[in-house]
Amino acid sequence: MDEAQAVIVGGGVAGASIAYHLTDLGWADVVLAERSDLTSGSTFHSAGLVGQLRSSVSLTRMMMYSVELYRRLQAETGVDPGWHEVGSLRLASSGERIEELQRLAGWGRTFGLPLEVVSTEEALDRFPLFDPRDVQGAAYLPTDGYVDPSGLTMALAEGARRRGCRILTGARATGMDVRDGRVRGVSFEGRDPIRTDVVVDAGGIFANQLGRMAGVEVPVVPFAHQYLLTEPVDGVHTGLPTLRDPDRLVYFRAEAGGGLVAGGYERSPAPWAWDEKGPPAGFNNELLPADWPRFEPLAEGCFGVIPAMQSAGVVRMINGPEAFTPDGEFILGESDVGGFFVAAGFCAHGIAGAGGVGKVMAEWIARGRPELDVWKMDLRRFGRHYRSRTYARDRACEVYATYYDIHYPGEERRAGRPLKMAPTYARLAGLGAEFGEKAGWERPNWFRTNEDERFEELRPRGWAGRHWSTAIPAEHLATRERAGLFDETSFAKIEVTGPDACQFLQRICANDVDVSSGRVVYTQLLNDRGGIECDLTATRLDPERYLLITGTAFGPHDLAWIRGEARPEDDVDVRDVTSSLACVALWGPRARDILSSTTQADVSNQGFLYMSQRDVVVGDVPCLALRVTYVGELGWELYPPTEFALRLWDVLVEAGRPFGLVPAGYRAIDSLRLEKGYRAWGADITPEETPLEAGLGFAVDMDKGEFTGRDALRRGADGPGKRLSCLVLADPRSVALGNEPVFAEGEVVGRVTSGGVGYTVGKSIAFAYLPTHLASAGRSLAVEVFGERVDAEVTPDPLYDPRGERIRS
Ligand SMILES: Cc1cc2nc3c(=O)[nH]c(=O)nc-3n(C[C@H](O)[C@H](O)[C@H](O)COP(=O)(O)OP(=O)(O)OC[C@H]3O[C@@H](n4cnc5c(N)ncnc54)[C@H](O)[C@@H]3O)c2cc1C
């Protein structure tokens, strides 16, 4: 039987790039299998624009790498990818759009993206055809451009072929051989199967069908995406930058013959062949019929931007299907089936992303994980609910229809809600909960009943004040002064059981978890570079049973990470028990008074120690109680079996009445945790930072014996090069929201990881990694908030209760 180190299924730009990069890492025995010809899927009808600016640092870095690669491909492979580095302009037709561009420019500066905001006149000098009437300025990125999608794919394939990759066309994959949770091979129509331990699903709009052959759900949704090609327009030449007008939902580039390519993201998107059956098997080298009525609003947008287009005839309308995802981010990485990787769902950015996608995927396959933190693109971010095709479609529709909108911080998605609800949902709604959504869960952001006009003067300036309520400071202060009650049922809960549970967790956790039953340990789980993969509490329930609690959105990720670390000889069972336990957190100085009035258990400071767990009965409700906090106050997280949750909530609300208890939401938690210096995974701490850099050295036990990441930490033990620092902005109503650049003497020295207002300390707080020499308290810096430099100072961390007296009281 034929064998290969890896089989990549799908000969579009993504598959070719993965083959290129995998062979570049020394994997010579790679097969690229395409059922028709190379570039016969979405790649062949792409408009080819390459814009680097995207929603996350990692994705933008991937795009920046793509550009570097496209510049050098011809010299290396002899095949011209048709790269035109003409730059790009993004117009702003409103004050808010200018603010957005300024924010993006500041952000781009933190990792070397040469994006600048230019005047309308400067933009016109570069692209004299647009109508300047409503335009207030533009963002200019000189290193953007466009590429010939087929040329690019052929150049990448040629690079791979030269290093030994076998390229099979007419090779339709028809089945995956999966045994014992691992992929073992691929079968094809009319040709021998190939035995392999690595398969990459790079099937574009067919990625879901291919995934299902291995029992893997890949929630891509094909959408019909259109652009048109015009006859020559006066003044158009191939040196023009690409042009986007997000307020009119359209994009443009010049064509070789002097015509324009013009497309966009319409408000009424058209999902196509999105149901269980998926796209028809014979759909290759094909387009969909032009849909003129759907393009009409975009055509109007085009004429508004470039009036000369009105008199230019249309040569052709291209309507091609493209794989979108329910959250607008790529889908990359290894699935729950060992060795079965996915690279799909490029949301009309697959040409721009292909270079970076190939590099990330090759590292993932060959080295076990990519260099960049790509959690936002990780296949594992999707929970089980994305198996619903209608849910996936509705979420993807919303992303598509609002693609060019300004997305304000704190904005909530609407599609497919409500889906996952705690048993208290109706009660919380009755209390005026303003729900937000995380990983499908409805969670109260704040309660309208707590709104208090007196706090209006605290409303943050600008964007940060948009999705904001006076209830947030009210709930924050009530928790600090009296008590707050939080429904945290959505927390992800993982149980690790078995004779080897302790030694297994000791091997993968940085802290010492070999503690007596009833102790709670805060720990990180590290990769072998020492980067933080998971951040959670581990509670030893019994000698052979641990309960791990992690963030709402991180359950699938943490579960996959922990399972992935288990060796065949480990006698452990790792199970998601999220649905079996609800969680109600009671925090604040009156928490003990409230709890003790509802239970016979000893909840005194000595009877129930900080960071310990006991089984208690609250009212008539049996709960697992953990004395832990994410807000920096005395209190407990109470975990009853789910069916008791509503009763538990009611009992505590009633008991709390004389003590001034308030129901409180997640936005208050975020403000409380910021001033207490608690880190948020995915923002302040990621797989790219170590606990030492993150100021979490106290949660690492270097003396407990070997654990993953220990060697890397030891190498960096004589002092990390950067350090997560707490900054306070001089203006308390100027709020950094994350990603703003931090300056020292005019130079960018860091980027805000998360920020907000601490209502007890009365300060605008921002966390940022700074070079160690700048990370000392008292150091003066500046943070650029919407183009304005605001003075800031490094302060001792945490700002609130630095000795932790309140949590131990
Ligand atoms: C109209 C339009 C305009 C676009 N404009 C841009 C743009 O300006 N910039 C940009 O960056 N992106 C753009 N895109 C998006 C871009 O084209 C795609 O993201 C990219 O081409 C996707 O590449 P891929 O390799 O994932 O998928 P594809 O190119 O679709 O490749 C997947 C391949 O898998 C093969 N395959 C499927 N099933 C099997 C099987 N069972 N066995 C073997 N092979 C199989 C298919 O035949 C296909 O060739 C646009 C897309 C469209 C539709």
Side-chain angles (χ1 to χ4, degrees), residues 385-386 388-396 415-417 419 437 440:
H385 50 293
Y386 284 99
S388 158
R389 295 302 293 164
T390 43
Y391 185 76
R393 178 206 58 191
D394 292 352
R395 301 289 282 186
R417 293 178 57 188
L419 183 64
E437 180 258 343

Side-chain angles (χ1 to χ4, degrees), residues 223 267 269-271 325 392-402 413:
F223 279 77
R267 292 280 182 209
T325 65
R393 178 206 58 191
D394 292 352
R395 301 289 282 186
C397 272
E398 187 182 33
V399 167
Y400 188 109
T402 58
R413 307 271 314 267

Side-chain angles (χ1 to χ4, degrees), residues 9-15 33-35 40-43 45-49 171-173 202-204 206 210 225 227 251 284 320-322 346 348-352:
V9 183
V13 72
E34 162 57 46
R35 65 184 196 172
S40 56
S42 300
T43 300
H45 45 249
S46 173
L49 275 77
R172 177 190 295 269
F206 300 92
L210 276 168
H225 188 64
Y227 65 84
Y251 61 76
N284 269 107
E322 160 69 345
F346 298 119
H349 288 81
I351 304 300

Side-chain angles (χ1 to χ4, degrees), residues 23-100:
T23 51
D24 194 37
L25 291 184
W27 282 40
D29 190 12
V30 170
V31 169
L32 177 62
E34 162 57 46
R35 65 184 196 172
S36 177
D37 303 314
L38 294 184
T39 78
S40 56
S42 300
T43 300
F44 94 90
H45 45 249
S46 173
L49 275 77
V50 175
Q52 297 163 85
L53 187 67
R54 289 302 313 267
S55 56
S56 72
V57 178
S58 294
L59 188 51
T60 307
R61 280 193 185 141
M62 284 163 62
M63 303 288 187
M64 289 166 78
Y65 168 77
S66 291
V67 166
E68 263 172 66
L69 176 72
Y70 302 169
R71 281 179 191 144
R72 64 177 149 88
L73 262 183
Q74 182 169 16
E76 191 190 315
T77 65
V79 179
D80 182 6
W83 172 238
H84 293 78
E85 196 161 318
V86 290
S88 73
L89 284 167
R90 180 180 284 254
L91 304 181
S93 307
S94 67
E96 277 150 0
R97 191 64 78 175
I98 284 279
E99 281 176 353
E100 183 198 36

